Amino acid sequence: MKILETGGPRDDERTAPGDSQARVLIAIPTFRRPDGLRRLLTAIATMETAADIKILVADNEGADGAGTAVVKELAAAYRFPIEVIAVPERGLSSVRNAMIAYARRDVTLDYVAMIDDDEWPTERWIDDLVAMQRQTGAGTVGGPNLPVFAPGAPDWAAHCPLFVSDDMPDGPVEIVWGTCNLLLHKSAFAHSDSNLFDPAFNQSGGEDVDAFMRLKASGHRFAWSRSAVVWDDVPAGRATLGWITRRAFRIGNSNMLVQLRWKYGRHGRLLALPSTLAAIAANLGLLAVFCFSPSKRVTYYCRLVRSLGKLAFLTGLRSFEYK
């Protein structure tokens, strides 16, 4: 176990199943969640996999962080080779770019899989992701995140779009939306020295969507594996009106920056403002119509707040959730 300080083929090339053992780096960003990281590493160690696995933990708390301590505790008896790197520069992009930089230095890797420290995978998670990549030749493969709520969570939480995973069919998809359950083929990360995740999103989130839009613009393709499930811990503090309001607002705020870059183009703010105002009006009306339906009420509430976050960005207000 080492503690370090941070400092190919085309997307349409396919590897037939059984041609070779997949070499996978499971990259885990962590920040002050030692119990979650320990649960995740324990689950990874019990996976059923034919892949050649290495584990990288990137501790955004620094060299003396809680995540580093967990890796030191587990490393000697751990099933797979495991390393931890210290990423003292705080932020989502910083820690993810540090993991990609590490992966680029290992020319033997075929894939980087990403999973967060408040999640844990099903037993065949890696093999299911790899199988879908080999079947489709996609540069990026995602899978579902299924919530596990703390006891006493309100009934509406199960319908909240912030907790409900994407439900897409197996196979090629237009794009995926998050790094919390992800497999990157080396064609998506190995052949560039530039940051995959823009530091402009370090404290706001949205770095994943921006990165995927950049990959899509460069010709990379995406796929989805419904069986590659990870479980997502939803503590009691998240299943509250205050938390979902802050999160929905931040998502809308950061997504507007992404949309201005990749959707609206020149004169983007002038084009985005009418559609944003229309979305606010529509969701406000739908919220009023369905105010007595718990499942639909929370859906339209989140959409309304997300639209308000977009409007805030257009008026010059940035939301920084990760400080």
Side-chain angles (χ1 to χ4, degrees):
M1 191 270 296
K2 299 178 182 178
I3 300 176
L4 308 174
E5 291 286 342
T6 57
R10 299 185 308 272
D11 187 39
D12 60 354
E13 290 180 337
R14 302 186 183 192
T15 304
D19 275 4
S20 62
Q21 184 180 32
R23 295 174 294 276
V24 184
L25 178 71
I26 300 179
I28 305 165
T30 190
F31 183 72
R32 296 178 181 172
R33 283 183 182 146
D35 293 338
L37 178 62
R38 185 178 291 105
R39 176 182 56 199
L40 168 57
L41 291 173
T42 300
I44 289 173
T46 64
M47 286 192 309
E48 297 177 5
T49 180
D52 180 3
I53 301 291
K54 298 179 181 179
I55 310 296
L56 175 68
V57 174
D59 193 339
N60 207 199
E61 196 177 358
D64 297 322
T68 301
V70 170
V71 175
K72 287 181 178 180
E73 171 193 330
L74 299 179
Y78 198 67
R79 175 185 174 188
F80 301 114
I82 185 169
E83 291 190 18
V84 59
I85 58 174
V87 188
E89 182 182 356
R90 289 278 300 278
L92 298 173
S93 297
S94 294
V95 71
R96 298 197 193 285
N97 284 330
M99 297 189 302
I100 293 297
Y102 177 99
R104 285 171 176 158
R105 292 192 292 268
D106 187 347
V107 297
T108 69
L109 286 177
D110 299 311
Y111 304 100
V112 171
M114 292 189 181
I115 186 169
D116 287 348
D117 62 358
D118 57 353
E119 300 173 326
W120 61 100
T122 46
E123 290 183 346
R124 292 189 52 81
W125 171 60
I126 284 294
D127 284 21
D128 287 343
L129 288 173
V130 170
M132 184 56 68
Q133 191 284 321
R134 289 179 164 180
Q135 176 185 328
T136 62
T140 304
V141 182
N145 295 71
L146 301 184
V148 177
F149 295 102
D155 292 341
W156 57 258
H159 306 284
C160 179
L162 300 181
F163 304 134
V164 175
S165 178
D166 292 321
D167 185 16
M168 296 187 283
D170 278 332
V173 294
E174 182 178 351
I175 199 169
V176 299
W177 299 108
T179 51
C180 47
N181 181 3
L182 186 74
L183 185 76
L184 290 171
H185 184 260
K186 58 187 176 182
S187 60
F189 67 84
H191 304 292
S192 173
D193 292 329
S194 60
N195 287 330
L196 180 59
F197 300 97
D198 190 337
F201 295 91
N202 239 343
Q203 295 181 329
S204 67
E207 80 292 343
D208 43 9
V209 179
D210 179 70
F212 298 147
M213 294 298 292
R214 188 178 306 108
L215 287 172
K216 183 177 180 180
S218 66
H220 286 266
R221 293 178 290 115
F222 300 82
W224 189 258
S225 173
R226 298 187 74 184
S227 60
V229 170
V230 302
W231 302 103
D232 187 5
D233 181 39
V234 183
R238 289 191 174 188
T240 65
L241 181 62
W243 189 90
I244 68 168
T245 300
R246 292 189 296 273
R247 177 58 60 93
F249 186 90
R250 191 276 297 167
I251 289 173
N253 195 261
S254 59
N255 281 356
M256 179 50 68
L257 174 55
V258 176
Q259 290 177 347
L260 290 174
R261 289 182 172 186
W262 300 105
K263 177 180 178 180
Y264 290 109
R266 191 177 182 184
H267 308 304
R269 290 177 185 266
L270 292 177
L271 295 172
L273 183 59
S275 61
T276 301
L277 291 174
I280 291 172
N283 287 309
L284 188 60
L286 289 166
L287 180 60
V289 170
F290 293 106
C291 63
F292 296 109
S293 169
S295 60
K296 293 183 178 180
R297 181 175 64 219
V298 70
T299 296
Y300 293 119
Y301 176 77
C302 287
R303 290 180 181 179
L304 172 62
V305 175
R306 197 164 55 217
S307 297
L308 291 171
K310 292 182 177 182
L311 179 63
F313 185 91
L314 292 173
T315 59
L317 176 63
R318 288 292 305 274
S319 175
F320 298 107
E321 183 176 359
Y322 305 97
K323 296 182 180 180

